Amino acid sequence: MSLRLALAASLLPLFCVADVASADDHTEAQATEEVKIRDVTLAVPTTWTQKPPSNRLRLAEFDVPSGDGEETDTQVVVSFFGGGGGGIGANVTRWIGQFDADGREVSLVEGSSPQGKYTFLDLTGTMRKSVGPPFLRKYELIEDARSVAIILTVEGTGNYFLKLAGPRATVDANADALLASFGADRDSEKPLDAE
């Protein structure tokens, strides 16, 4: 059973637990290819196109095919900051802040995989997508958006950050593939409480 909590703009974000439904429960498994990214090996769908990272903070980027009629680019981004990059709580709070509070839905769980434990944040609502260099603080609004962000903790190494964000239909069609790419055990997941 899912526990739903109201999000209040004037308070610290509260996390509600929602079941993450498969976007494509009735299709055949996607063909994948292994991609080694430092300490992590991902089974990436062959429909995703790997390209050179657009900045030095990213280890890998993959273009994801858009859903019907969608014009917004959608990517999977993989980052690693060594011992830096902030803790899990700081990144979860930052990612939640990329969505307007009005109408935002949040799910936060932790689970395990063969490559390490993970924190999985699933957001829906109106997203503020950065346009241009971050210091310019320019955004475009994407209504009916979704973001799935994973913090994969590799023991003895640190946190890898995997994020897929864009129009909801495109993210819905690719979210399960992102979770499967590092071997997420969905049955191991348990809700995380607000701090």
Side-chain angles (χ1 to χ4, degrees):
M1 175 184 283
S2 296
L3 172 64
R4 299 264 183 206
L5 299 174
L7 294 172
S10 62
L11 301 174
L12 292 174
L14 299 175
F15 307 114
C16 69
V17 178
D19 295 325
V20 179
S22 171
D24 211 357
D25 286 334
H26 304 291
T27 61
E28 296 177 22
Q30 290 180 312
T32 61
E33 59 186 353
E34 282 195 357
V35 176
K36 178 85 170 153
I37 305 169
R38 289 197 187 173
D39 303 295
V40 176
T41 301
L42 302 179
V44 176
T46 56
T47 57
W48 297 1
T49 305
Q50 188 169 9
K51 63 181 196 175
S54 60
N55 65 54
R56 61 184 178 83
L57 300 176
R58 297 177 174 185
L59 295 179
E61 287 183 29
F62 302 88
D63 283 335
V64 175
S66 296
D68 291 339
E70 293 177 350
E71 297 178 10
T72 303
D73 294 333
T74 306
Q75 295 179 326
V76 170
V77 175
V78 181
S79 304
F80 178 77
F81 306 106
I88 291 172
N91 281 286
V92 165
T93 299
R94 179 174 56 83
W95 288 331
I96 289 173
Q98 293 171 349
F99 278 70
D100 288 347
D102 187 33
R104 175 177 64 200
E105 291 187 25
V106 181
S107 169
L108 182 66
V109 299
E110 65 181 359
S112 61
S113 79
Q115 300 190 68
K117 294 185 180 206
Y118 63 90
T119 302
F120 171 39
L121 175 66
D122 193 349
L123 292 156
T124 58
T126 300
M127 181 175 70
R128 292 185 299 275
K129 180 181 178 186
S130 184
V131 178
F135 66 87
L136 291 178
R137 298 189 185 271
K138 290 187 177 182
Y139 304 95
E140 71 173 296
L141 293 179
I142 302 174
E143 295 181 7
D144 197 23
R146 183 178 177 197
S147 173
V148 292
I150 293 109
I151 302 172
L152 177 61
T153 303
V154 178
E155 191 171 333
T157 302
N159 294 329
Y160 283 80
F161 300 87
L162 296 81
K163 187 175 178 188
L164 166 64
R168 187 172 186 158
T170 299
V171 176
D172 284 354
N174 289 278
D176 287 343
L178 179 60
L179 287 157
S181 72
F182 63 92
D185 178 0
R186 305 304 306 276
D187 292 333
S188 75
E189 291 178 356
K190 60 183 180 181
L192 284 177
D193 295 325
E195 295 180 11

